[in-house]
Amino acid sequence: MCGIVGYLGKGRALEVILDGLRRLEYRGYDSAGVALVASGKLQVVKSVGKIRDLERRIWALSGEEAYHLGIGHTRWATHGRPNETNAHPHVAGPIALVHNGIIENYLEIRKELELAGYTFQSDTDSEVVAQLVRFYYQGDLFQAMGKAIDRLEGSYALAVISEEEPQVLVGTRKDSPLVLGLGEGEYFLASDVPAILPYTRRIVLLENWDRVVVNPQGVVVVGADGKKVDRPFQEITWSMALAEKAGYKHFMQKEIFEQPRALADTIGAYVSPAKGDIFFPEGELGEGVFSRIVLVACGTSWHAALVGRFWIEAQARVPVDVEVASEFRARNPILDGGTLVIPISQSGETADTLAALRIAHEKGARTLAVCNVVGSSIAREAQGVIYSYAGPEIGVASTKAFVTQMVILYLFSLKLGLVRGMLERGDVSWRLKEVLSLPRKMEEVLSHEEDVSTLARELYHVQDFLYLGRWLNYPIALEGALKLKEISYIHAEGYPGGEMKHGPIALIEEGLPVVAIAPRDVVYEKMVSNVEEVRSRGGQVILVGFSGDPLEQRVDRFLEVPPVDGTLTPFLTVLPLQLLAYYIADKKGCDVDQPRNLAKSVTVE
Ligand code: M6R
């Protein structure tokens, strides 16, 4: 996790770095810092807390008007507590360095450097890298960084400066993201594109092992083999508005309301309504001859995978396993050339999902990623990729990425069903019609936000929630509970309705809020029984169901969604649950976009 920014150029280093760090706060926010070079001297300011806390301490800089060179960091602690000493940048002699990732062999290198007389201030693995660069430094920062990274095991994105080379910025990456921005006489390094988008749209996605050196003469990128490489830039076309709050109080709120647009864009990228067909990038499905599919992901993306399994098995008749990435990699999974492994990841940088993808390659499986971030590690390493078009998701709680992941899995199941001869063209065409109606129906659900916010005002003080769903809506129960937990810190459990009688029913007591997801689908009657079981034990039932459902009269609260084909309900039922979590967290005064202990992109194992 952690976010890094580097700048070399026209004298606005401080402004650009602070601005970039604000946009990277989603990656970590327990401490932050900047290092700038002025009059041949390093100046460093750090602070515990968020970027706004760092800004309050900027007075400590010497007051120079224009800084031409600098680096900055926002931290999510891995090694060492979140205090000022452990905050980045780490300084070693003339060197200052920021790091995102984990250095696995840092203790060994630290011991070696201590024996050579080096002293350490912090408990971090990152300071070891700074000291190692210093160890190799003989006036050429690029060379010293190259020697240092040859010693490192683990993951890193680094930006490094030296007060002895006030016109040089260097950086490198391995398994942690780093992009290079090309401006007019200005250069930027950052953990992701939105951090520097206000300053340039020309972006180079650096590859693993790339080393980059920037000076007033330009940029040189050296690849893994030590030879100069030509990495073409991409012109970023999406607007900055997508990465800003646009009048909403929080990114999460904005992203919830963007979902109809995100879904429409993703559908639009792959569906031809005229042809009644789906077109994925050429060759992604081949002949569809897989004996098995493994969906692998973490968190909310794992919930999307759980929903996707129903569709793929039903429509393409291929057995599907769904795996939590960290568990998958822990147990030497059985894979072969007949298995298609699909890693699903919004960020494309989640360490466990990336590791699962690599295991899949080692074992000879085929791979096809579902990712939201273009050029991310998972997108690049997989043999094929289907991108979602959610746009940048900034709120730590995933919302719009989730619905776009689901729609890709749905379209994938239809296409695979067609390719394998399990579905007729006619089946696909009426199902696509239903899919195309989803964005409008989502708008309709979101238009009832006031009902949800009223409910949130009544329930925000509650300690526990239970979420029940069956079949396609069991993963939605899990997702509703996860959303509430992560942003409001309220304990919530998601359960399959049928399992309630095997344990969780004991939790039900007078007034316990139970969110029952019961659209009129093949398991509706069974959910009705669950609702009655909860009511008879005094639980407070919040029903998510189709408009006009007669159960409305028998429950405490009713959150309606418009009727839709029974296999597509998750796209609608998840929306009131996202809104409920959002309004409860906001009412409680929680930091909705940056909940405690979390980070958007989990690049540690
Ligand atoms: O970027 P990814 O989709 O790989 O992220 C996976 C999880 O870390 C993520 O979904 C997480 O659970 C969210 N905070 C949930 O809202």
Side-chain angles (χ1 to χ4, degrees), residues 31 76 81 88 201 264 276 283 394 396 400 458 567:
S31 59
W76 186 85
R81 294 181 68 80
H88 301 216
R201 292 186 161 272
I394 311 289
V396 163
K400 61 178 181 168
E458 290 164 17
T567 61

Side-chain angles (χ1 to χ4, degrees), residues 298-301 345-347 350 396-398 405 482-483 486 602:
C298 302
T300 287
S301 300
S345 174
Q346 185 285 128
S347 61
T350 299
V396 163
S398 184
Q405 288 166 340
L482 175 62
K483 287 286 92 87
E486 71 178 326
V602 186

